[in-house]
Amino acid sequence: MSNLLVLPILIPLCTAVLLIFLRGKLRLQRGISVVSSVLTVLMSILLTEHVHKEGILTLQMGGWAPPYGIVFAGDMFALLLVTAASLASLAILLYSISTIGEKREHYYYYTFYHFLLAGVYGSFLTGDIFNLFVFFEVMLISSYALLSLGGTRLQLKETSKYLLINIVSSTLFVAAVAYLYAAAGTLNMAHLSLRISEAGQGGVLNVIAVLFLIVFSLKAGLFLFFWLPGSYSAPPAAVRALFGALLTKVGLYAIIRTFTLLFVDNAGPPHSLILWMAAATMILGSLGAVAYKDIPRILNYNVIISVGFVVLGLAAGTRDSLDGAVFYLLHDILAKALLFILGGLIISAAGTDRLSGMGGMIRRYPLLGWMFFILALALVGIPPLSGFAGKLLIIRGALDAKLLTLSLIGLGSSFMVLYSLIKVFRQAFWGIDVEAERPMVSMKGSLAVAAGLLVLVAAIGIGAEALFAYVSQAGSVLASPEQYIQAIMKIKE
Amino acid sequence: MELVMALAIGILFTIGVYLILSRSLLRIVLGTSLLTHGVHLLLLTMAGLKTGSAPILGKAESYVDPLPQALILTSIVISFGVTAFFFVLAYRSYQVLGTDEMDSIKEAME
């Protein structure tokens, strides 16, 4: 069974390689992409179910016992994220088939798509810090390609910026790994955790922790998000949905994993830095979401707010808030995918991404409008929709940890999410129909995909009770990393 | 030996950062590749230098840790790929935007 752990990485990787040889055969490419995505979804659900019953899965590459070889570790947290990511990516794939255009499809769009997914799943499942770097790079280089594919002027400019920032942060990542190896003498995350807790976290290890925090924050858009709103606005809607749903979550996963497993000291300077960064991210993200008047930017700032909110759950560090962070991440992957898909549909229906050029679309696209409205409520956390359970747990955990100001900022940012999305809803769907002469845009297929995602988002909310059994298992590993360490290291004895 | 390595790393980082901060896209690409070279040397140095030892266990009395060399190899391959991509992107931007100066690219957009 543990050998199956590598399949979520292997399926997209092999698909991507296969698709390189099928250039020009677009129907075949689409078919294979969908089949491979469905397989990944099934595989990740199977693995999650297995971990739920039997405990953490580990796989040693080439039979090298840890800490010497490369280890893959599938705990509940990683596998829940893989499952959510595979569901979201399947939906975005279906959406992109109808919207991305044949020209991009000809230039290996699906190949890069699957390479990116392999990088994302790999980052979730790896148990080795250098391997995390490698999977980050797999993901990033595919994202560079997807970002620049199409080669419009805006895309070229934004890709240069995004590429440069990520090269510098990857360089810092390797430097941080080098320092960590010098300080602890190992790269296996479970082994690192043991070594660090033996040595005590102070001095040099705090510096290394902050270096890792900077690197992962750049990828996650935690406080260091200055590049995000611009870069994520450049590509077409499907790619935007993919980035908004998955890329920042990988950075978040890395932050949560390293700061619950390696640098667990809750009183040190890195910890208070995380608190401040979470607060600043939520405040600045809210300001951005309210200030801008074009849809891509409003949605991108919404991504930033949710990053701050999840990190608030990490920073509070209680059992409740960690459960909440996992819950909120799951909800956010699916809801953000849906948000960007609906945003893309609104833009294509209105023919502009400026709010000032829209109005009165509710008469012509009623389904789109009401789906957007329900999603806005879900993102704010109106029960029984999906955002509620995660938000409740995070805020409760933060209050238990005596973080009153931060909880208030978190709640305030929720209102800003509501305000910014209702602003989009009101401006685009109500008022005077400004483009009554515009021909109707056909979006049956995309709406079906969006409806499917909406059902999932609603299911997370309504089935929160059932899902909580899984989420609390993930939270318990985060709260007490001994389980993770034992699952990996016990094999050595 | 560590001192020499430290100096080399420092010089590579300095030149790399200087080039990244310049205006021409080509210089920026060169700067990033120098920066990654610096960080690879850092990786080698931090893992401990043992002059003249081979990374083979059991054949000699002292042996050197093979892990950093494996890491550097991986990292070099990745940085090759990214640098190649960056060069192509810079060339393409030059074709489409008609300039390789970051300031003018910004102006061309507005």
Side-chain angles (χ1 to χ4, degrees), chain A residues 130 133-134 137 141 144-145 148 151-154 156-157 159-161 163-164 167-168 171 174-175 177-179 181-182 187, chain B residues 20 28 32 35-36 39 42-43 46-47 65 67-68 71 74-75 78 81-82 85-86 89 92-93 96-97 105-106 108-109:
Chain A
F130 191 79
F133 163 73
V134 174
E137 288 301 314
I141 200 157
Y144 308 148
S148 60
T152 61
R153 295 160 73 94
L154 180 65
L156 287 174
K157 179 195 148 207
T159 312
S160 313
K161 205 168 79 180
L163 185 55
L164 185 57
I167 289 177
V168 172
T171 311
V174 180
V177 168
Y179 290 133
Y181 189 60
L187 293 174
Chain B
I20 284 180
I28 292 174
T32 58
L35 211 59
T36 50
V39 90
L42 179 76
L43 194 50
M46 291 308 282
D65 185 2
L67 186 69
L71 301 186
T74 316
S75 179
I78 290 171
V82 175
F85 183 87
F86 207 168
L89 185 75
R92 181 87 182 135
S93 314
V96 172
L97 303 166
I105 291 177
K106 235 179 181 172
M109 292 302 307

Side-chain angles (χ1 to χ4, degrees), chain A residues 330-361:
Chain A
L330 291 182
H331 142 80
D332 205 49
I333 289 177
L334 294 167
K336 283 283 151 32
L338 180 55
L339 181 65
F340 277 90
I341 289 177
L342 292 180
L345 289 175
I346 293 175
I347 292 171
S348 70
T352 169
D353 59 6
R354 303 249 143 220
L355 280 181
S356 49
M358 300 179 183
M361 293 204 303

